[in-house]
Amino acid sequence: MVVDKNLKKEFKHLKSKIDKIKIVITDNDGVLTDTGVYYSANGEEFKRFSIRDGMGVERLRKHTGIETIIVTGENSGSVKARAEKLKIKEYYLGVKDKLKILKEIKRKNHMDEINIAYIGDDVNDIEIMKLVGLTASPADGTHFIKNFADYICPSKGGNGAFRDFAELILSFRVTNNKN
């Protein structure tokens, strides 16, 4: 498996946090999408997702056993369809209280906050980011959220930010550099 050795060198200060991660939680809009939404007279029709982010979900699962969970305030069929396409078993739509869902995820998966990584892009993600073990923001996350991020992804939301975060984790968790 190919990993980026430069990430490991540049972010070696995050090694102890990354070593403890067992699950990655992601917000949807602004992380897995570019914050754009397409509306018709019938309501929301489309959201744009990055194929690279999907590969990040798959690589985390395949090479580390780390599953991804989506937690979003939106109640969108497109998010459900994307989660199912990526074989994400646990996703939460229409969430108004993300801290309540964090407690549910911890209970359901038998883990502590220190075992959870979270990537978010806006103020509604701050409270979770204060509690979990490792945090990230897309390059275009709000300035509010970047203050709580351990890692600022080089890519924007919907354009590979989740993949950047996945590769950071993979760079520390995978020791075999063969393809």
Side-chain angles (χ1 to χ4, degrees):
M1 193 196 84
V2 177
V3 295
D4 187 340
K5 293 177 185 178
N6 292 327
L7 275 175
K8 199 170 185 175
K9 288 177 188 173
E10 185 176 352
F11 295 99
K12 63 184 174 191
H13 65 283
L14 295 178
K15 180 185 183 331
S16 64
K17 289 183 173 196
I18 292 169
D19 286 345
K20 295 174 182 124
I21 298 306
K22 296 180 182 176
I23 281 181
V24 175
I25 301 174
T26 182
D27 182 29
N28 187 69
D29 296 312
V31 176
L32 298 178
T33 74
D34 60 6
T35 72
V37 65
Y38 302 90
Y39 283 93
S40 72
N42 298 324
E44 179 186 287
E45 295 289 326
F46 301 104
K47 291 183 185 241
R48 181 189 163 283
F49 295 89
S50 168
I51 295 299
R52 289 189 178 135
D53 289 337
M55 181 63 74
V57 169
E58 291 176 19
R59 284 170 54 86
L60 277 174
R61 181 184 302 120
K62 178 180 178 183
H63 298 293
T64 67
I66 294 174
E67 292 291 339
T68 300
I69 298 172
I70 299 172
V71 176
T72 181
E74 295 293 317
N75 196 353
S76 170
S78 62
V79 179
K80 181 178 186 249
R82 184 66 176 150
E84 290 173 356
K85 167 81 173 158
L86 296 175
K87 297 180 177 95
I88 294 175
K89 298 174 189 140
E90 200 172 341
Y91 54 91
Y92 299 86
L93 308 177
V95 173
K96 300 304 174 212
D97 185 348
K98 289 189 176 185
L99 288 181
K100 183 178 177 184
I101 296 301
L102 177 63
K103 289 177 188 175
E104 172 67 16
I105 290 168
K106 285 173 32 187
R107 184 195 60 73
K108 186 175 181 180
N109 293 283
H110 311 288
M111 64 183 58
D112 295 320
E113 289 96 346
I114 200 164
N115 304 122
I116 299 171
Y118 187 89
I119 179 169
D121 73 306
D122 214 330
V123 294
N124 59 329
D125 300 307
I126 290 173
E127 295 307 312
I128 285 183
M129 291 177 78
K130 287 179 180 178
L131 297 175
V132 299
L134 179 70
T135 59
S137 168
D140 61 341
T142 65
H143 69 277
F144 304 107
I145 205 72
K146 288 180 180 178
N147 292 327
F148 297 94
D150 295 309
Y151 177 67
I152 308 295
C153 303
S155 301
K156 293 180 179 181
N159 290 286
F162 184 89
R163 175 71 178 271
D164 293 341
F165 194 36
E167 293 301 328
L168 174 71
I169 294 167
L170 286 162
S171 71
F172 285 91
R173 298 291 290 271
V174 176
T175 55
N176 181 356
N177 281 335
K178 294 180 183 173
N179 206 0

